[in-house]
Amino acid sequence: MRVFAKVVELGSFARAAQALDMSNTVVTRNLADLETHLGTRLLNRTTRKLSLTETGQQYLERIKHILADIDDADALASSSAQVASGTLRIYCQTSFGLAQLAKLLPVYAEAMPDVVLDVTLADNVIDLVQEGFDVGILLGVQKFEATMIARRLALSRLVLCASPGYIARHGQPQTPYEISDHKCLNFAFEQLRHSWPLSFDSNSLDKGDNAGKADIPITSRMISNNGLILRHACLADMGIMVRSSFTLEDDFSSGRLVQLLKGHYFGLMPINLVYPSRRLMSYKVRSFVDFMSAQFPQPESDPWLESV
């Protein structure tokens, strides 16, 4: 299996033989024996290139995880198991990756110099195990497979904010219902186009609603599916924006943006560290889990609002 994976990775029998310290003949025979054992062709060979058959592609995807498990088992059983090393594949949702993980990775890397960080930022719904990731950082309330461990890092509030320039021109809302008189910068969800659902303390209500929640009618000045574009519009005095607190920490501390209606928010977003429990946890994975947990010692709180 390992020879086959290396041939595919390097795209050449000769390069795979060199990497594995084998002769070309041994590598070729090894692959032929594997195909005979499986009773199917894994690679199409021409004089110029190699390509995977459909069966070969499926086989490769499965053995990647098997080989990774073997490597983890070898690492745990060896005398070097207590040294974090090798490649650590991290999947993180984009907004948290850019706002927070990017600042933390250099700190981890300095403490673990033998770990190579392979970081993917995206917002796709993926299977971490199937895609070969060691650990993921996922946002929001999600259902996780029984084979996964989800460790809460923190809670992030979705809060209202505006620039000092906008406030100087249009004033600062003192109650949730005053938002209706302002220009709003809106994320492109259909359910948010005409109203914003706010949670707030019942003693701040002025219209008899004691449930702590209300849908506030709004007028959108700008709508986008990208939070960074909305942030730039907010910094340019275009209107009021809703954002996750972990994306606003630097803007609040620098005074570029001002939090509005403190104590009123859209909701709470869990930040979860997720990793496969069915796999042996190598020391590199354990070191990253422990590092991230240490950065967020109070997982049921919002550290970004508390720090500004």
Side-chain angles (χ1 to χ4, degrees):
M1 290 189 295
R2 197 176 296 277
V3 170
F4 166 66
K6 185 61 68 174
V7 169
V8 174
E9 176 189 350
L10 299 179
S12 163
F13 281 85
R15 286 193 289 269
Q18 184 177 11
L20 296 170
D21 195 23
M22 297 177 175
S23 69
N24 288 358
T25 302
V26 171
V27 168
T28 302
R29 185 186 308 122
N30 187 290
L31 186 59
D33 290 344
L34 178 62
E35 290 180 326
T36 299
H37 170 71
L38 297 173
T40 186
R41 181 179 292 276
L42 300 175
L43 286 172
N44 292 315
R45 306 161 177 81
T46 68
T47 55
R48 293 188 176 182
K49 69 174 185 177
L50 302 173
S51 63
L52 284 166
T53 64
E54 182 178 355
T55 301
Q57 182 65 53
Q58 295 172 349
Y59 184 71
L60 179 64
E61 292 303 316
R62 292 297 184 94
I63 67 169
K64 279 181 180 179
H65 310 305
I66 295 172
L67 293 174
D69 285 344
I70 292 172
D71 289 341
D72 284 348
D74 288 346
L76 286 172
S78 70
S79 59
S80 61
Q82 299 306 306
V83 177
S85 61
T87 299
L88 179 66
R89 296 197 66 212
I90 303 169
Y91 178 89
C92 183
Q93 290 189 252
T94 305
S95 57
F96 189 85
L98 294 176
Q100 297 296 325
L101 185 62
K103 297 186 290 188
L104 296 175
L105 288 179
V107 181
Y108 173 80
E110 184 175 1
M112 303 293 170
D114 295 326
V115 175
V116 177
L117 297 170
D118 183 344
V119 184
T120 296
L121 300 185
D123 294 305
N124 304 324
V125 177
I126 69 164
D127 184 321
L128 292 175
V129 174
Q130 184 68 27
E131 297 293 333
F133 288 99
D134 296 300
V135 63
I137 300 175
L138 306 179
L139 311 182
V141 177
Q142 302 187 30
K143 291 184 178 180
F144 301 106
E145 297 291 337
T147 56
M148 306 297 289
I149 294 175
R151 177 178 294 192
R152 175 76 53 79
L153 292 178
L155 291 171
S156 175
R157 281 182 170 81
L158 305 175
V159 298
L160 293 154
C161 60
S163 66
Y166 177 86
I167 293 172
R169 293 182 192 177
H170 303 281
Q172 182 168 338
Q174 300 301 312
T175 69
Y177 294 99
E178 291 179 26
I179 297 172
S180 297
D181 300 324
H182 286 265
K183 300 174 182 178
C184 297
L185 308 173
N186 210 348
F187 208 81
F189 290 133
E190 185 63 33
Q191 63 269 31
L192 300 180
R193 287 181 180 267
H194 304 295
S195 66
W196 281 353
L198 276 180
S199 299
F200 44 94
D201 296 332
S202 59
N203 59 13
S204 70
L205 299 174
D206 57 5
K207 296 199 174 183
D209 184 350
N210 59 8
K213 294 183 179 180
D215 285 330
I216 309 299
I218 58 102
T219 300
S220 295
R221 176 70 175 85
M222 180 177 178
I223 299 171
S224 176
N225 69 339
N226 187 281
L228 290 178
I229 289 179
L230 295 177
R231 174 181 174 271
H232 284 295
C234 193
L235 291 170
D237 308 334
M238 285 182 60
I240 294 175
M241 173 181 67
V242 174
R243 288 274 278 172
S244 303
S245 59
F246 65 76
T247 69
L248 296 169
E249 183 180 25
D250 293 341
D251 287 331
F252 283 166
S253 61
S254 67
R256 291 188 294 265
L257 294 176
V258 176
Q259 184 182 350
L260 306 178
L261 296 173
K262 292 185 178 181
H264 304 68
Y265 52 91
F266 269 53
L268 295 171
M269 178 184 293
I271 315 295
N272 295 308
L273 187 67
V274 182
Y275 48 95
S277 61
R278 70 172 181 80
R279 294 182 60 183
L280 291 171
M281 185 184 288
S282 64
Y283 193 70
K284 67 184 177 185
V285 175
R286 186 180 301 279
S287 70
F288 185 74
V289 170
D290 290 345
F291 169 80
M292 291 297 293
S293 299
Q295 308 309 306
F296 302 96
Q298 296 179 305
E300 299 304 318
S301 67
D302 186 329
W304 301 286
L305 286 185
E306 293 172 357
S307 64
V308 298

